[in-house]
């Protein structure tokens, strides 16, 4: 019989909101860890999000947010944060989580670190706290969620800064992530195969990299064959609070869809995702352009659609929404960037389209719709790959086992 150790999970992400891929990742991680550990979740409480765990045997400690406490403090910290980002090249989130919310002094008021065998950090932003944990000789793990300097690079490029300035800030951020912050963790969790290889080139001999993709609960995503889908349509799926996703959705509505309906006048387009902007909402007309907003059970919509279009640029992170789409028996058109490091193959289990050329996207969507039977094998292959690698058991449950076994080999910690 296994002896359960005590683990402290530190997260600024609310795992009970279920509205984003990162929230679901933290939720599933906690669920899997509960099978092998006694969990305490130290969660940032903004008083604006619902906090209620469906996971049994978990202690939740709420760390009141300073930043969200009142408008004066929020605007003051925003102002200070501008200078912080300009001087350090780091993000505002690094400033807030490291120096304001999750400082060692604050955390020690709410939890006794020495009570825990292991501390798991969601993202590496809390560098000062990670440094404190290491000084206490407590085993530490970080789930990177993705290689953050790559997201930073995309964000800077969208600002159209002079190349030498953006390169300077990217390089500083990258060095901080690689050469400083990640060095405080005994284990680094990578989210895809290529990022695992990348982390293995920068760690020291005392560190270890574990692989855990963004798995999903397969049984929650029942599928129908593409030929059985009963609506002529294409859809986009992803949280629309992200500027990246908003640009992709607008591209599909404004540039691609008009070309599709020239050939298929009866066609529809669905934009499925939480927090659509006012601009996106105005593009919906309730007839053939449907903007759903947040949907509790998107798989119910997926089972009547069939063709997903996910334009994407940037080789970072992991598109968990694409895995959900595939699991529901839908064919996916996306870029190689979107499935970076996940070993999907063009024409075998996905259709890759590079760039934002509207006619290329529209022609591909029309062709797939007209030849739905021919694409059954692609969908079948995609479902098989999802089941073999990206199920809950093959991702989070395996991660929990691997962490437990790693700790078991490090009893001196």
């Amino acid at each position: 019989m296994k002896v359960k150790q005590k683990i402290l999970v530190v997260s600024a992400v609310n795992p009970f909101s279920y509205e984003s891929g990162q929230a679901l990742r933290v939720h599933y991680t906690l669920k899997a860890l509960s099978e092998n550990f006694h969990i305490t979740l130290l969660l940032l409480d903004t008083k604006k999000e619902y906090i209620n765990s469906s996971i049994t045997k978990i202690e939740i400690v709420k760390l009141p947010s300073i930043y969200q406490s009142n408008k004066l403090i929020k605007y003051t910290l925003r102002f200070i944060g501008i200078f912080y980002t300009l001087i350090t090249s780091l993000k505002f989130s690094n400033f807030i989580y490291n120096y304001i919310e999750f400082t060692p002094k604050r955390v020690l008021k709410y939890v006794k670190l020495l009570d825990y065998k292991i501390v798991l950090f969601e993202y590496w932003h809390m560098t000062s706290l990670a440094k404190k944990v290491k000084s206490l000789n407590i085993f530490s793990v970080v789930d990177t969620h993705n290689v953050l300097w790559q997201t930073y690079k995309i964000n800077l490029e969208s600002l159209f800064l002079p190349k030498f300035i953006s390169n300077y800030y990217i390089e500083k951020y990258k060095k901080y992530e690689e050469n400083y912050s990640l060095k405080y963790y005994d284990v680094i969790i990578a989210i895809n195969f290529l990022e695992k290889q990348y982390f293995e080139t920068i760690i020291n001999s005392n560190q270890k990299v574990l692989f855990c993709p963004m798995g999903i609960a397969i049984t929650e995503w029942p599928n129908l064959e593409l030929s059985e889908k009963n609506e002529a349509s294409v859809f986009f799926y992803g949280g629309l609070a992200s500027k990246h996703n908003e640009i992709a959705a607008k591209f599909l509505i404004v540039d691609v869809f008009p070309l599709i309906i020239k050939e298929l006048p009866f066609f529809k387009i669905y934009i499925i995702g939480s927090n659509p902007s006012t601009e996106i909402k105005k593009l919906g007309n309730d007839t053939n352009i449907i903007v759903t907003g947040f949907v509790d059970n998107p798989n119910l919509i997926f089972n009547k659609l069939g063709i997903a279009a996910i334009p994407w640029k940037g080789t970072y992170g992991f598109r968990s929404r694409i895995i959900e789409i595939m699991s529901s028996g839908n064919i996916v058109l996306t870029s190689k960037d979107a499935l970076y490091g996940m070993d999907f193959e063009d024409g075998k289990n996905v259709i890759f389209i590079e760039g934002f050329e509207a006619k290329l996207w529209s022609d591909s969507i029309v062709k797939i719709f007209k030849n739905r039977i021919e694409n059954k094998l692609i969908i079948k292959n995609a479902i098989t790959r999802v089941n073999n690698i990206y199920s809950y058991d093959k991702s989070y449950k395996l991660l929990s086992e691997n962490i437990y076994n790693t700790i078991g080999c490090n009893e001196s910690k």
Side-chain angles (χ1 to χ4, degrees):
M1 183 177 177
K2 287 184 177 179
V3 177
K4 286 190 174 184
Q5 303 285 357
K6 294 186 69 175
I7 184 171
L8 174 67
V9 179
V10 182
S11 179
V13 176
N14 181 359
F16 313 118
S17 63
Y18 310 113
E19 289 189 5
S20 67
Q22 62 176 353
L24 285 173
R25 182 171 177 83
V26 179
H27 172 78
Y28 283 133
T29 299
L30 291 169
K31 181 180 177 181
L33 288 172
S34 68
E35 298 180 29
N36 293 302
F37 297 91
H38 296 294
I39 306 174
T40 298
L41 172 64
L42 181 62
L43 183 63
L44 189 64
D45 184 8
T46 65
K47 295 184 179 179
K48 293 183 178 180
E49 293 183 291
Y50 183 64
I51 298 176
N52 184 31
S53 174
S54 60
I55 303 168
T56 58
K57 298 180 181 178
I58 181 173
E59 177 189 7
I60 300 175
V61 178
K62 299 177 184 179
L63 183 67
S65 172
I66 294 175
Y67 175 63
Q68 297 284 0
S69 58
N70 65 64
K71 288 185 178 180
L72 177 60
I73 291 177
K74 184 174 183 177
Y75 293 140
T76 300
L77 291 175
R78 270 285 176 190
F79 182 73
I80 296 171
I82 292 173
F83 291 98
Y84 172 85
T85 57
L86 289 174
I87 294 169
T88 65
S89 85
L90 299 179
K91 297 179 183 179
F92 181 70
S93 53
N94 292 104
F95 167 65
I96 287 296
Y97 297 143
N98 190 37
Y99 294 103
I100 305 299
E101 305 285 28
F102 289 95
T103 64
K105 185 176 181 180
R106 285 199 81 210
V107 169
L108 285 168
K109 290 181 180 179
Y110 290 85
V111 294
K112 187 177 179 181
L113 291 176
L114 289 173
D115 285 347
Y116 299 94
K117 176 77 173 181
I118 176 174
V119 178
L120 168 63
F121 292 84
E122 297 294 343
Y123 292 97
W124 54 260
H125 294 92
M126 302 88 159
T127 307
S128 298
L129 182 59
K131 186 176 180 181
K132 178 66 176 179
V133 168
K134 191 169 184 66
S135 72
L136 295 173
N137 204 34
I138 301 170
F139 202 90
S140 61
V141 179
V142 60
D143 188 349
T144 57
H145 287 251
N146 56 61
V147 178
L148 291 185
W149 69 260
Q150 294 201 63
T151 68
Y152 186 61
K153 179 181 179 182
I154 294 294
N155 291 338
L156 282 184
E157 288 175 349
S158 69
L159 298 177
F160 302 105
L161 294 170
K163 196 72 174 177
F164 75 94
I165 293 179
S166 61
N167 286 344
Y168 170 77
Y169 277 104
I170 291 166
E171 192 59 31
K172 279 191 70 176
Y173 188 96
K174 182 179 179 182
K175 285 182 178 179
Y176 185 90
E177 182 176 2
E178 291 182 352
N179 301 338
Y180 181 65
S181 186
L182 289 179
K183 300 302 181 185
Y184 289 112
Y185 304 98
D186 296 292
V187 170
I188 297 171
I189 300 171
I191 206 165
N192 67 46
F193 296 117
L194 291 181
E195 290 189 4
K196 180 177 184 294
Q197 292 176 14
Y198 162 74
F199 285 128
E200 286 173 341
T201 67
I202 67 171
I203 62 173
N204 60 48
S205 59
N206 296 319
Q207 293 178 294
K208 183 175 182 178
V209 181
L210 295 178
F211 168 63
C212 178
M214 188 85 89
I216 63 172
I218 298 294
T219 55
E220 295 177 8
W221 299 91
N223 63 77
L224 294 174
E225 295 285 354
L226 183 60
S227 58
E228 297 175 287
K229 308 286 184 178
N230 59 19
E231 189 163 289
S233 59
V234 64
F235 68 95
F236 174 88
Y237 177 45
L240 295 164
S242 159
K243 193 67 178 177
H244 205 145
N245 284 347
E246 182 180 14
I247 290 171
K250 285 171 63 177
F251 166 70
L252 291 172
I253 297 171
V254 176
D255 299 312
V256 177
F257 191 61
L259 299 179
I260 295 174
I261 58 176
K262 282 183 180 180
E263 191 160 350
L264 303 171
F266 51 84
F267 224 66
K268 294 182 180 182
I269 183 169
Y270 284 77
I271 305 298
I272 305 167
S274 60
N275 300 308
S277 66
T278 301
E279 186 177 2
I280 291 289
K281 289 178 181 177
K282 285 181 179 179
L283 292 173
N285 59 22
D286 296 325
T287 303
N288 59 356
I289 302 175
I290 300 97
V291 179
T292 68
F294 175 73
V295 178
D296 279 323
N297 296 301
N299 55 305
L300 299 180
I301 296 179
F302 294 169
N303 263 342
K304 70 175 184 177
L305 305 182
I307 304 173
I310 314 291
W312 187 264
K313 179 184 177 182
T315 56
Y316 59 85
F318 187 102
R319 309 277 70 80
S320 60
R321 299 311 191 195
I322 293 179
I323 296 301
E324 294 171 355
I325 293 167
M326 287 179 171
S327 184
S328 295
N330 301 281
I331 195 163
V332 174
L333 289 74
T334 192
S335 68
K336 291 181 180 178
D337 278 4
L339 293 174
Y340 172 80
M342 294 165 61
D343 287 353
F344 281 91
E345 298 179 44
D346 185 29
K348 181 178 180 180
N349 40 39
V350 69
I351 302 295
F352 284 136
I353 301 179
E354 303 306 324
F356 283 71
E357 184 183 334
K359 193 170 189 316
L360 182 58
W361 281 89
S362 65
D363 286 351
S364 299
I365 291 166
V366 170
K367 181 181 178 181
I368 288 171
F369 177 74
K370 289 182 175 180
N371 300 280
R372 284 174 287 176
I373 302 300
E374 296 176 13
N375 295 297
K376 289 177 69 173
L377 183 59
I378 293 177
I379 294 168
K380 183 179 178 181
N381 289 339
I383 292 173
T384 298
R385 181 153 187 79
V386 170
N387 288 339
N388 289 344
I389 298 179
Y390 301 110
S391 68
Y392 171 82
D393 286 350
K394 298 294 177 62
S395 54
Y396 302 107
K397 190 170 183 178
L398 184 58
L399 173 67
S400 179
E401 294 286 341
N402 286 337
I403 291 176
Y404 184 91
N405 293 334
T406 300
I407 297 301
C409 296
N410 291 273
E411 289 299 329
S412 60
K413 287 277 185 181

